[in-house]
Amino acid sequence: MADRTDWPGEALVVAAQAGDLDSLTALVAGSHPNVRRFAHSLCASREDAEDAAQEALIILYRRIGMLRASGALASWMFRIVRNECLRRARLMPRERAPLPDTAVMSAEDEVLRRLEAGRVAEAIAALPADQRRVLIMRDVQGHSGRIAAEALGLSTAAMKSRLHRARAALQHTLGDTRAHR
């Protein structure tokens, strides 16, 4: 059975970078499910997630030539989505107020949830690339350990070790930021 969270292959990325319009179209379409998943896991609202995903795909379409390593598409797109979600979270209080009686969470709880999502995204982005890739594949995209290890060219033990270090670093970073509130 095919894994639904596969990113388009490096050959497609290289062809898109070379200006092949069909490859670029296929790259954007093939990236869409993963970009949406990133956005829904990082943005505070469904509307922001959809908007952030669309913005990220537009950036992919317009700036594919800026991607330095064709194998780094997932990390690059994660950073774009994260930045777009953070931008939307910062603008939220000025652009729209919560609808009365429609939300279960209080406005204060919603703001705290958005701030926490931003902190988590920043902490993930600050991880070393090898740890970040494993963490994203396992905890954000939901890949199995075997699939993540194979995709990254690692043994299962090495993948587990990197994942453990990434989770520990996140816990340390997020624990430090919670203590400073």
Side-chain angles (χ1 to χ4, degrees):
M1 178 164 74
D3 189 350
R4 292 177 39 202
T5 58
D6 284 340
W7 283 87
E10 285 188 52
L12 190 62
V13 174
V14 170
Q17 287 177 313
D20 180 44
L21 189 56
D22 291 336
S23 296
L24 182 55
T25 302
L27 179 64
V28 171
S31 299
H32 184 255
N34 297 308
V35 169
R36 274 188 88 223
R37 191 174 306 103
F38 282 162
H40 281 278
S41 69
L42 295 173
C43 288
S45 72
R46 171 173 276 132
E47 295 82 17
D48 282 349
E50 291 298 326
D51 290 345
Q54 288 302 312
E55 186 65 29
L57 291 170
I58 290 168
I59 291 170
L60 171 63
Y61 186 82
R62 290 181 178 164
R63 299 184 182 165
I64 186 63
M66 295 178 68
L67 179 62
R68 289 188 183 104
S70 58
L73 179 64
S75 296
W76 188 55
M77 292 308 298
F78 179 80
R79 282 191 306 276
I80 292 170
V81 170
R82 180 206 58 183
N83 290 341
E84 188 61 25
C85 289
L86 289 173
R87 186 184 72 76
R88 290 176 180 285
R90 283 190 294 268
L91 294 175
M92 191 285 286
R94 287 178 248 145
E95 289 183 348
R96 59 186 181 268
L99 298 174
D101 301 320
T102 59
V104 176
M105 297 175 73
S106 71
E108 180 182 3
D109 288 341
E110 179 67 16
V111 168
L112 290 174
R113 187 174 73 82
R114 287 174 183 254
L115 289 173
E116 188 64 18
R119 283 189 194 101
V120 170
E122 288 174 358
I124 290 171
L127 289 171
D130 61 333
Q131 292 177 18
R132 184 176 57 244
R133 284 186 206 105
V134 170
L135 184 86
I136 289 171
M137 289 189 77
R138 291 284 286 131
D139 294 348
V140 176
Q141 295 177 336
H143 289 290
S144 70
R146 181 185 56 77
I147 290 173
E150 286 175 6
L152 296 170
L154 301 171
S155 68
T156 302
M159 183 279 306
K160 286 180 179 180
S161 176
R162 287 183 188 180
L163 180 61
H164 175 74
R165 287 193 306 266
R167 287 174 175 167
L170 275 181
Q171 187 175 18
H172 178 75
T173 300
L174 295 174
D176 286 351
T177 60
R178 287 187 185 117
H180 290 97
R181 279 193 227 168

